[in-house]
Amino acid sequence: MKLTRKELYDLVWSEPMTTICKKFGISDNGLRKHCKLMNIPTPHNGYWAKLQYGKEVKKTPLPNDYEGKKQDVNLKEIDPSEAIVKIEKPVNMQTLREQEISEGDMSCFIVPEVLYAKDPIIIDTKEKLRIGRDEDNTYLKNNPYKSKIKETLNIYVDTKSIDRALCIFSTVIKALRARGHNIKINNNETYAIIAEEEIKINITERRKIIPDNKLRATAYCGELHFNITYGYSKLSYGDTACTKLEDKIVTIIAKLELIAEDIKEERIREEQKRIEREEEKRRQREFDEKKKTELKNFQALFTMAERLYKANIIRDYISAYEKHLIERGIEDGTILSELEWAKEKADWLDPFISKPDKYLDYYNKESITRSECPNQNSYYRSDSQELYSDNYWIRPWWKKK
């Protein structure tokens, strides 16, 4: 693919250099050489990070005073399928992020040898540590600046290591801000603010047991550690026999950014799970309400069906009674009057008719029609005889003649 100077400028400002290098199978240094030969400015350190998190960024315009001979460049785009085949090892996100950071201006990642305290946070922290540690210094105790000290950084080191620890912390703060992030101090805890995620950080100095001390007392040994705490996890970067903490600023910043991304992704996953749980609860509530409604409707249906069934039982009984009278040739006005009364009660019980009744409307139809199991000898009990003695429908057939 042949690109003009303007096209290459638009390309390097459209996506990160690492992405372009993968797409065209060219090294980062090779692409930067092309840009340098054609006087094409490239994005500064932290440009893409600031752009990603909505920070204000400034795009360097393409210089018009270019008079070089190189006016275009040939880049061969790699087939994505071929690029996949070439990958043998899993991508190390930490390494990639460190490479991406190293592409920009590295001046803010270099820890100075001498502390030049300009940031109010650094000044306050230094004064607080000096006042708290130097108990015999009357000047520091009476220092008028003491009353102006606000919340300070989390640093737990020996007096001799204060300046070094502040130099490291100051560099971390500068690097974070250069990458579009910030620092926050709340309730004596220090947090790196990355993509609105808060990650607790501090610097400590390792203590070791003093040799030949019977009380096994400990003393600071000069070995500093930068600690990162997130959730239930803790990560520490410190001095080793071969490296110093000052050489690990890029690694620390890269790790903080990756942790913030992981926290945000985990938060999104947890929020999605919460939404799914709430949705499941909502569906369960709807199902439970539907169950109650279905049961209520079925009971109402069954009640109406039962009423009709009982009303038809009464009608069948009346029909059999009338047939019996015809077969016996019985014609009695009282009996016919009782049968008409019974037909009206059946119409009162029938859910399709529900004929009003002056007396029975005061009762619940289900309660008074519920079947009971009377004692088979109830007719011979004195109380039963007294209860049913005047009831036309209870009297035996031979007493109805």
Side-chain angles (χ1 to χ4, degrees):
M1 179 186 293
K2 193 171 185 179
L3 299 174
T4 64
R5 180 169 174 265
K6 178 64 168 63
E7 289 172 340
L8 183 58
Y9 167 79
D10 293 337
L11 181 62
V12 296
W13 285 90
S14 64
E15 52 187 336
M17 302 280 276
T18 52
T19 306
I20 299 172
C21 292
K22 291 179 184 178
K23 187 182 296 183
F24 292 99
I26 187 174
S27 68
D28 177 76
N29 289 333
L31 184 58
R32 289 185 180 278
K33 284 180 181 179
H34 287 301
C35 293
K36 188 174 182 180
L37 288 173
M38 300 169 73
N39 194 19
I40 297 174
T42 55
H44 56 80
N45 178 45
Y47 176 85
W48 297 111
K50 291 180 180 179
L51 192 65
Q52 179 184 357
Y53 297 115
K55 303 291 184 180
E56 185 178 351
V57 292
K58 185 177 180 181
K59 183 177 179 181
T60 307
L62 180 66
N64 296 322
D65 56 351
Y66 173 68
E67 297 179 354
K69 295 180 181 180
K70 191 176 178 64
Q71 295 294 331
D72 52 53
V73 63
N74 282 317
L75 297 177
K76 183 180 179 181
E77 194 167 2
I78 295 177
D79 186 357
S81 60
E82 294 179 2
I84 294 173
V85 173
K86 292 179 180 179
I87 297 176
E88 296 178 356
K89 297 181 180 180
V91 177
N92 188 319
M93 297 304 298
Q94 176 74 23
T95 303
L96 289 178
R97 186 59 58 91
E98 290 180 22
Q99 290 176 353
E100 189 264 323
I101 292 174
S102 300
E103 290 176 359
D105 182 11
M106 295 297 294
S107 60
C108 60
F109 291 85
I110 300 173
V111 179
E113 296 182 1
V114 180
L115 176 64
Y116 295 100
K118 295 182 180 180
D119 192 314
I121 297 176
I122 303 298
I123 296 173
D124 286 354
T125 304
K126 183 173 183 178
E127 291 300 318
K128 181 179 179 180
L129 292 174
R130 289 173 63 197
I131 294 169
R133 299 292 174 84
D134 199 339
E135 299 179 355
D136 299 326
N137 194 320
T138 306
Y139 167 74
L140 291 177
K141 288 183 179 180
N142 299 327
N143 189 350
Y145 185 80
K146 179 173 62 176
S147 61
K148 300 179 181 179
I149 295 177
K150 300 178 181 178
E151 291 189 299
T152 55
L153 298 169
N154 268 18
I155 296 179
Y156 305 98
V157 297
D158 187 27
T159 306
K160 298 176 182 178
S161 302
I162 289 177
D163 280 7
R164 183 190 170 203
L166 286 173
C167 283
I168 294 171
F169 228 134
S170 176
T171 305
V172 170
I173 294 173
K174 290 178 183 177
L176 284 170
R177 289 172 177 168
R179 296 284 292 173
H181 315 309
N182 211 337
I183 200 84
K184 172 185 176 181
I185 302 175
N186 186 28
N187 294 328
N188 297 318
E189 297 289 353
T190 306
Y191 299 89
I193 309 300
I194 302 175
E196 299 180 357
E197 302 295 339
E198 299 181 0
I199 306 171
K200 190 184 297 185
I201 56 177
N202 63 37
I203 291 180
T204 58
E205 184 175 351
R206 191 171 73 87
R207 300 176 70 99
K208 65 179 181 180
I209 299 174
I210 301 173
D212 302 328
N213 187 290
K214 294 181 180 180
L215 299 176
R216 296 183 63 82
T218 61
Y220 288 107
C221 65
E223 184 180 312
L224 298 187
H225 289 265
F226 188 93
N227 306 301
I228 302 172
T229 306
Y230 56 102
Y232 296 103
S233 302
K234 184 175 180 180
L235 188 64
S236 182
Y237 294 92
D239 296 325
T240 65
C242 302
T243 60
K244 288 187 176 182
L245 182 57
E246 285 86 340
D247 302 325
K248 302 175 182 179
I249 304 301
V250 172
T251 302
I252 290 171
I253 300 301
K255 190 61 180 179
L256 285 171
E257 290 182 352
L258 293 175
I259 289 172
E261 292 174 4
D262 290 342
I263 293 174
K264 193 165 189 175
E265 289 176 2
E266 181 62 25
R267 192 188 303 279
I268 293 172
R269 285 194 294 269
E270 288 299 323
E271 179 63 17
Q272 184 62 35
K273 289 180 182 178
R274 186 193 66 79
I275 293 172
E276 290 174 358
R277 288 194 298 269
E278 291 296 325
E279 180 63 19
E280 181 61 28
K281 289 181 182 178
R282 184 191 65 79
R283 287 196 295 265
Q284 187 63 42
R285 286 195 299 269
E286 288 183 354
F287 181 76
D288 293 340
E289 289 297 324
K290 187 65 175 177
K291 279 200 310 182
K292 292 179 182 178
T293 304
E294 289 289 308
L295 177 61
K296 185 177 180 180
N297 291 339
F298 175 77
Q299 289 174 334
L301 171 64
F302 187 82
T303 299
M304 294 299 104
E306 191 175 35
R307 284 186 192 177
L308 179 61
Y309 174 72
K310 291 177 180 179
N312 287 334
I313 289 177
I314 296 174
R315 293 187 180 111
D316 290 342
Y317 179 72
I318 294 170
S319 177
Y321 205 128
E322 290 175 336
K323 184 179 179 181
H324 170 76
L325 294 176
I326 293 172
E327 290 176 352
R328 297 284 184 93
I330 300 174
E331 294 184 3
D332 188 306
T334 302
I335 295 175
L336 294 176
S337 175
E338 293 291 347
L339 291 175
E340 288 300 320
W341 177 90
K343 290 178 181 179
E344 291 179 354
K345 301 311 171 187
D347 290 344
W348 171 78
L349 186 59
D350 191 325
F352 295 110
I353 300 174
S354 294
K355 184 178 180 179
D357 188 282
K358 182 178 180 180
Y359 302 103
L360 293 183
D361 282 345
Y362 288 97
Y363 300 98
N364 181 277
K365 294 180 180 181
E366 283 67 49
S367 298
I368 65 176
T369 59
R370 187 177 297 116
S371 299
E372 297 180 357
C373 297
N375 190 318
Q376 66 181 66
N377 297 321
S378 61
Y379 286 117
Y380 301 99
R381 290 172 57 191
S382 59
D383 56 344
S384 297
Q385 291 175 357
E386 183 180 349
L387 180 62
Y388 299 124
S389 61
D390 295 331
N391 193 308
Y392 174 80
W393 299 103
I394 299 301
R395 288 200 301 265
W397 285 103
W398 61 82
K399 290 186 179 182
K400 296 178 184 177
K401 294 181 181 180

